[in-house]
Amino acid sequence: MISNVASSQHGDDTVRTTPVRNPLNIESLASWMVNSPSPVLQSLLFGFDGRSITQDGNWLQERLQVKQFGFGQSNPTYLLIINNLPHRNDALKIVLRRKPNKIAHPSSHALHREYRVLESLLRYNKELEQQQHQAFDKSVPIPTPYAYCKDETILGAEFYLMEFVQGRIFVDPRMPSIRSEEERTEAFKDALRVLANIHNVPWWLIGLEKHGGRTSGKDKTNPTYIQRQVLRLLQITSKQSELMMKGSDSHDVKKVEESIRHIAEVLSQHASLCPNPFGLLHGDYKIDNLIFHPTEPRVIAVLDWELSTMGDGYCDLANFCMIYFMPSIEKGWGVAGLGDMKLEGTGILTRPQVISTYCQYHDNYHDKARQSNERLTTDTNMTTPVDCNEAMAWAGFYLSFLFFKNCVIVQGVAQRAESGVASSAVASKVAGLLPEMVRLTKHILKEFPPPKSQLKSNL
């Protein structure tokens, strides 16, 4: 998803916050936090497990400072800084993620799904830690989830709290603050190692049996993941267009919707034949949704699981590769890519190297899992091995689908910006990308068609 924005200083990998653009009811939030049944949150606030010593939120409200992150058009995201806690020598930092007040489609902004995935992966990582002799690192680094609130009367929408992970977020995939080519290469490779781990998570053992669709790549009698996604995204774009009709030039809105629908028709012609490997998906896997160690080229947390589901892992890989078609931040898109950059001598992997490296990590996982007697890796039949030649051949198709998906997402940003509820500091700028996104999607679909396919549509 096109979501995070570059900081005001090119090359800065710190996490930028802004003044609060979408205000919170601090009094209500503080009262809910001190009365939350979450033992983790109670321990953070009061230094022990169990309920708080007070049900009065005033003392927390006096200590609470709120900032809003500059990224995230989809769900407003805030940094809560709590000072002067008696049991701490430093300030407590907590991240709050909240749904927007207006939602175009019920499946959008699925924070409850995001939180459930984080809880399941936390259990998975803890069980891995208890294994004395791991054959290899299978963990998926995430921020620790603290508490979820379904009560919309607290902040006007559902929200949850999670750990603030201190590290580097590279909003610019060129990673200019990394001085070594070798470290830049290792950073890209580690991102792909973590992605392979995600796709091989034993979802059937960690509480994700009902997470998303259940149609595996081995079942050819049911629609593929992309077939289902295209239909769902068409429903979303219709609803968004309907909402935009009320305040925009209806001719322009209809023209964009028609282009999106035409792309969907072309994708649908080939979606039934795509490889469709099955496993846990992140849903928006990319460099700027990862937190890297403050000084080392390794991933320490994967963010933004809102779009996570069960489905085709090549979609995550294609999402990661979108940066190779996006221009650099200086071009003014508001998002950063590598499309106009010469990669030789930078240490940044090329797109074919990204695909082959991912496949290598995926294959290594399955090879080592077969040699292991560990409970969390023995049933490799439940996850799908990948074929590198197949992944290369279908890479353009998956890229086209991901750009189509992002056309719908950017259309949603435009709709929320128009209605005044967009949560990003640069939502209007991102919304203006929609015509260019549609053009680029058509270009990729023509230049990189599916294998043995001749597209006859008038793209």
Side-chain angles (χ1 to χ4, degrees):
M1 185 199 304
I2 294 179
S3 59
N4 292 2
V5 300
S7 60
S8 58
Q9 181 180 355
H10 301 321
D12 190 352
D13 50 38
T14 57
V15 180
R16 290 284 177 166
T17 57
T18 72
V20 175
R21 306 178 303 279
N22 307 97
L24 300 176
N25 186 331
I26 303 302
E27 180 180 358
S28 179
L29 173 62
S31 178
W32 179 85
M33 289 176 68
V34 298
N35 288 284
S36 169
S38 166
V40 176
L41 184 56
Q42 293 298 306
S43 178
L44 288 169
L45 293 176
F46 300 99
F48 60 88
D49 293 334
R51 293 195 61 80
S52 66
I53 56 176
T54 176
Q55 294 185 4
D56 183 3
N58 289 337
W59 74 271
L60 179 58
Q61 185 178 348
E62 294 170 354
R63 294 167 168 80
L64 182 59
Q65 179 184 4
V66 180
K67 297 182 179 181
Q68 189 165 357
F69 289 106
F71 57 77
Q73 288 90 355
S74 182
N75 296 297
T77 305
Y78 304 82
L79 177 62
L80 309 182
I81 304 173
I82 306 173
N83 297 291
N84 302 320
L85 290 176
H87 62 286
R88 295 180 65 101
N89 295 323
D90 59 342
L92 171 63
K93 294 183 178 180
I94 297 176
V95 174
L96 184 151
R97 291 260 287 169
R98 182 178 73 88
K99 287 186 177 182
N101 292 329
K102 295 181 181 180
I103 297 176
H105 193 276
S107 65
S108 302
H109 315 281
L111 281 191
H112 60 289
R113 291 165 59 86
E114 177 170 287
Y115 192 80
R116 182 173 67 226
V117 173
L118 290 175
E119 284 189 311
S120 296
L121 290 174
L122 179 65
R123 288 194 295 270
Y124 173 57
N125 290 337
K126 285 184 176 179
E127 185 164 348
L128 289 175
E129 290 175 359
Q130 294 173 1
Q131 296 178 353
Q132 293 184 350
H133 303 289
Q134 291 189 48
F136 57 104
D137 183 7
K138 301 177 288 293
S139 65
V140 177
I142 56 166
T144 301
Y146 293 153
Y148 193 93
C149 179
K150 295 181 180 179
D151 186 352
E152 296 183 359
T153 66
I154 304 300
L155 294 182
E158 295 181 24
F159 67 93
Y160 76 88
L161 305 179
M162 67 177 172
E163 174 189 13
F164 173 78
V165 178
Q166 187 69 51
R168 296 177 291 173
I169 296 181
F170 294 106
V171 293
D172 187 340
R174 295 174 296 185
M175 301 180 175
S177 63
I178 295 182
R179 303 304 178 189
S180 162
E181 291 181 28
E182 292 74 19
E183 283 197 20
R184 205 172 284 118
T185 299
E186 289 305 310
F188 266 73
K189 285 185 175 180
D190 201 58
L192 296 166
R193 177 190 65 82
V194 171
L195 181 58
N197 281 2
I198 291 172
H199 293 164
N200 284 291
V201 163
W203 46 268
W204 61 95
L205 295 175
I206 62 172
L208 293 177
E209 297 86 348
K210 298 181 180 180
H211 183 61
R214 294 268 63 82
T215 304
S216 73
K218 300 175 182 178
D219 187 350
K220 300 302 181 182
T221 63
N222 291 313
T224 64
Y225 171 75
I226 289 186
Q227 284 179 297
R228 299 196 311 272
Q229 283 287 296
V230 168
L231 291 175
R232 187 182 71 85
L233 289 167
L234 282 175
Q235 293 174 351
I236 293 175
T237 194
S238 294
K239 180 62 175 178
Q240 290 173 168
S241 295
E242 179 184 336
L243 292 173
M244 292 177 73
M245 290 282 192
K246 300 175 181 179
S248 295
D249 186 328
S250 60
H251 175 74
D252 291 342
V253 173
K254 287 182 179 179
K255 186 176 180 181
V256 168
E257 184 184 5
E258 288 173 359
S259 294
I260 292 175
R261 286 189 173 278
H262 189 56
I263 294 169
E265 290 174 5
V266 178
L267 290 170
S268 297
Q269 294 174 16
H270 310 281
S272 63
L273 303 174
C274 66
N276 200 39
F278 185 75
L280 175 65
L281 296 191
H282 175 270
D284 191 18
Y285 198 82
K286 55 181 183 172
I287 288 292
D288 58 351
N289 270 338
L290 308 176
I291 300 180
F292 286 83
H293 186 277
T295 60
E296 300 173 12
R298 61 184 176 88
V299 178
I300 58 174
V302 181
L303 305 176
D304 201 357
W305 293 81
E306 171 195 348
L307 300 177
S308 177
T309 186
M310 302 299 302
D312 190 330
Y314 287 151
C315 290
D316 274 345
L317 184 60
N319 196 87
F320 188 89
C321 289
M322 287 178 68
I323 54 174
Y324 293 95
F325 294 85
M326 307 290 285
S328 62
I329 189 62
E330 289 83 5
K331 298 298 182 181
W333 277 39
V335 290
L338 302 169
D340 52 1
M341 179 182 180
K342 293 183 179 180
L343 301 182
E344 185 178 356
T346 66
I348 296 174
L349 302 183
T350 63
R351 187 168 67 92
Q353 286 174 331
V354 165
I355 298 171
S356 61
T357 300
Y358 164 80
C359 292
Q360 181 180 356
Y361 279 123
H362 203 291
D363 289 346
N364 287 345
Y365 188 107
H366 277 259
D367 289 343
K368 293 177 180 178
R370 281 191 289 268
Q371 302 169 12
S372 170
N373 292 321
E374 299 168 4
R375 185 182 81 89
L376 292 178
T377 54
T378 51
D379 194 353
T380 56
N381 290 326
M382 296 293 282
T383 55
T384 310
V386 299
D387 182 322
C388 193
N389 291 330
E390 182 181 68
M392 290 285 189
W394 281 88
F397 171 80
Y398 282 96
L399 268 170
S400 301
F401 167 70
L402 262 297
F403 272 98
F404 158 74
K405 178 181 176 182
N406 275 269
C407 286
V408 178
I409 290 170
V410 172
Q411 183 194 38
V413 175
Q415 179 262 312
R416 292 192 298 278
E418 185 177 278
S419 63
V421 297
S423 60
S424 170
V426 292
S428 295
K429 188 173 185 178
V430 173
L433 296 177
L434 187 53
E436 181 62 20
M437 289 292 294
V438 171
R439 185 203 64 78
L440 184 55
T441 305
K442 291 180 177 180
H443 169 75
I444 294 172
L445 196 51
K446 263 190 170 182
E447 292 297 315
F448 304 98
K452 299 181 181 179
S453 297
Q454 297 295 323
L455 298 184
K456 298 179 181 180
S457 59
N458 186 23
L459 285 173

